[in-house]
Amino acid sequence: MTYEDIARDIKNGKFAPVYLLMGEEDYYIDRISDYIVEKSLDENEREFNLTIMYGLDTDMANIVNNAKRYPMMSEHQVVVVKEAQNLRAWDDLSFYLQKPLASTILVFCYKHGTLDKRKKIVAEIDKTGVLFESKKLKEAMLPGFITAYMKRKKVEIEDKAAEMMADFVGNDLNRLAGELDKLVITLPKGQNRVTPTEIERNIGISKDYNNFELKSALITKDILKANKIVKYFNDNPKNNPLQPTLALLFNYFSNLMVAYYAPERTENGVAAYLGLKSTWQAKEYIAGMRAYTGMKVMNIITQIRLSDARSKGIGNVTLSQGEILRELVYFILH
């Protein structure tokens, strides 16, 4: 099941007897477990019917014993097991799953990895309840996440502003959600649209000199603009470290290389092939294919890797990070 499927069922009061929420992305695991508690128990019911346990401090036998309790003056009781990745003896859950208590909602929050899917217990949980794997979002999907998140807050965000936020925060969704919440609070009364100017004013990212603008300058081969941004980065190294810039460029040109193999080189075709959430993101790849040959893109990817190695001191003892970026940008544009 997807996050959206699970959230819809919870909203409609359709609860499974057991949830195994696992994966590298904490955000969705936390959101689902919190949403289950919010929708299944009101504040008064939580005092007697919500049990929070931790994998380091308990075992499966104790968890099962708690799951077998009946709720007190409530339709449900909820047992949330946090840090479930520290649990052992998962097979001890098997007997309970044969006939789980209908009034209990048992939630396992397994972070920083997944339970071995070859284990029989995983198939049993999937059959009886909900098995959900929370994966890290790809960089290209972050603007879509930001747009959707803000839409739920009844706030519109411009595409460039979403790109700036994605570039600034990265794919730590909990941190990204926190920054977006702060942004919503700082909007003037009656304003429900976020522009790059708001990002610059409230987050501290220059709307003219950032990784997103550098990428745009390289796509359009705007040599003057690209070099202005490189100079700005070099003059403000603390606010513009090299590694995030290299990561963004590597991600773009790697996707561009894949885009050459898209069956249809249209906005819809490229978006579908790359797994992008919106077609507007495909425009920059279509523009990139017009500006660069496939062979040039392969060479650029190699050069980005070399720049990354040099930035870490491999094969380089003299160049500063600003000089490494300057050489890379020159190679890309010429």
Side-chain angles (χ1 to χ4, degrees), residues 22-26 29 110-114 134-136:
M22 61 183 186
E24 297 292 340
E25 180 50 68
D26 295 355
I29 295 173
Y110 189 117
K111 297 183 178 181
H112 317 304
T114 60
S134 184
K135 298 179 180 179
K136 284 285 186 184

Side-chain angles (χ1 to χ4, degrees), residues 203-215:
I203 306 298
I205 314 167
S206 170
K207 70 179 190 299
D208 297 316
Y209 298 98
N210 55 66
N211 287 328
F212 172 69
E213 288 298 321
L214 176 60
K215 180 181 68 174

Side-chain angles (χ1 to χ4, degrees), residues 211-224:
N211 287 328
F212 172 69
E213 288 298 321
L214 176 60
K215 180 181 68 174
S216 297
L218 295 177
I219 293 171
T220 58
K221 289 196 170 183
D222 189 332
I223 295 175
L224 178 60

Side-chain angles (χ1 to χ4, degrees), residues 19-83:
Y19 293 81
L20 174 54
L21 313 174
M22 61 183 186
E24 297 292 340
E25 180 50 68
D26 295 355
Y27 175 80
Y28 291 112
I29 295 173
D30 292 337
R31 287 272 298 181
I32 293 171
S33 62
D34 290 347
Y35 200 36
I36 289 170
V37 173
E38 177 189 336
K39 290 297 182 181
S40 63
L41 301 171
D42 63 35
E43 290 189 14
N44 293 326
E45 291 172 333
R46 291 172 201 172
E47 183 175 355
F48 298 104
N49 297 291
L50 174 61
T51 303
I52 306 292
M53 309 178 78
Y54 292 86
L56 274 175
D57 303 326
T58 191
D59 56 32
M60 195 60 76
N62 192 26
I63 292 168
V64 170
N65 285 336
N66 276 274
K68 288 180 177 178
R69 289 190 296 107
Y70 286 93
M72 184 179 294
M73 295 179 291
S74 174
E75 183 180 354
H76 296 105
Q77 72 138 343
V78 181
V79 179
V80 178
V81 184
K82 298 189 176 184
E83 301 174 5

Side-chain angles (χ1 to χ4, degrees), residues 15 25 33 95 100 159 179 190-191 205 217 226 234 256 263 265 268 313:
F15 301 104
E25 180 50 68
S33 62
F95 185 73
D159 292 343
E179 293 291 342
Q191 182 175 332
I205 314 167
N234 189 52
L256 181 58
R265 293 188 182 181
N268 288 327

Side-chain angles (χ1 to χ4, degrees), residues 280-291:
W280 67 263
Q281 291 176 277
K283 293 179 181 178
E284 62 183 16
Y285 292 106
I286 293 174
M289 284 188 282
R290 295 193 190 105

Side-chain angles (χ1 to χ4, degrees), residues 110-287:
Y110 189 117
K111 297 183 178 181
H112 317 304
T114 60
L115 191 59
D116 190 342
K117 295 176 185 177
R118 295 170 296 182
K119 288 181 177 290
K120 182 181 177 183
I121 191 64
V122 175
E124 290 175 346
I125 293 173
D126 192 23
K127 180 181 178 181
T128 305
V130 170
L131 178 67
F132 173 72
E133 183 175 354
S134 184
K135 298 179 180 179
K136 284 285 186 184
L137 283 189
K138 295 179 181 178
E139 298 289 339
M141 300 174 73
L142 291 177
F145 169 86
I146 292 169
T147 301
Y149 186 90
M150 297 298 269
K151 187 176 181 180
R152 289 196 295 271
K153 301 281 184 180
K154 298 186 177 0
V155 174
E156 184 181 356
I157 184 168
E158 292 185 7
D159 292 343
K160 180 179 175 180
E163 287 270 8
M164 289 169 67
M165 285 297 297
D167 175 41
F168 176 68
V169 178
N171 66 349
D172 182 339
L173 297 190
N174 279 316
R175 184 185 165 212
L176 185 54
E179 293 291 342
L180 292 172
D181 287 341
K182 290 182 205 172
L183 192 57
V184 171
I185 292 171
T186 60
L187 285 176
K189 187 175 181 180
Q191 182 175 332
N192 63 349
R193 183 179 178 85
V194 176
T195 67
T197 301
E198 269 75 44
I199 301 292
E200 183 175 41
R201 181 186 304 119
N202 297 299
I203 306 298
I205 314 167
S206 170
K207 70 179 190 299
D208 297 316
Y209 298 98
N210 55 66
N211 287 328
F212 172 69
E213 288 298 321
L214 176 60
K215 180 181 68 174
S216 297
L218 295 177
I219 293 171
T220 58
K221 289 196 170 183
D222 189 332
I223 295 175
L224 178 60
K225 181 179 178 181
N227 281 294
K228 281 184 177 180
I229 295 171
V230 170
K231 183 179 185 305
Y232 179 85
F233 283 6
N234 189 52
D235 293 340
N236 300 273
K238 289 185 179 180
N239 295 327
N240 302 279
L242 180 59
Q243 290 305 318
T245 303
L246 294 179
L248 181 139
L249 294 180
F250 181 80
N251 180 69
Y252 171 75
F253 283 105
S254 296
N255 280 338
L256 181 58
M257 192 72 252
V258 175
Y260 280 103
Y261 295 93
E264 295 181 20
R265 293 188 182 181
T266 62
E267 289 181 17
N268 288 327
V270 171
Y273 197 70
L274 293 179
L276 304 176
K277 284 198 171 183
S278 61
T279 55
W280 67 263
Q281 291 176 277
K283 293 179 181 178
E284 62 183 16
Y285 292 106
I286 293 174

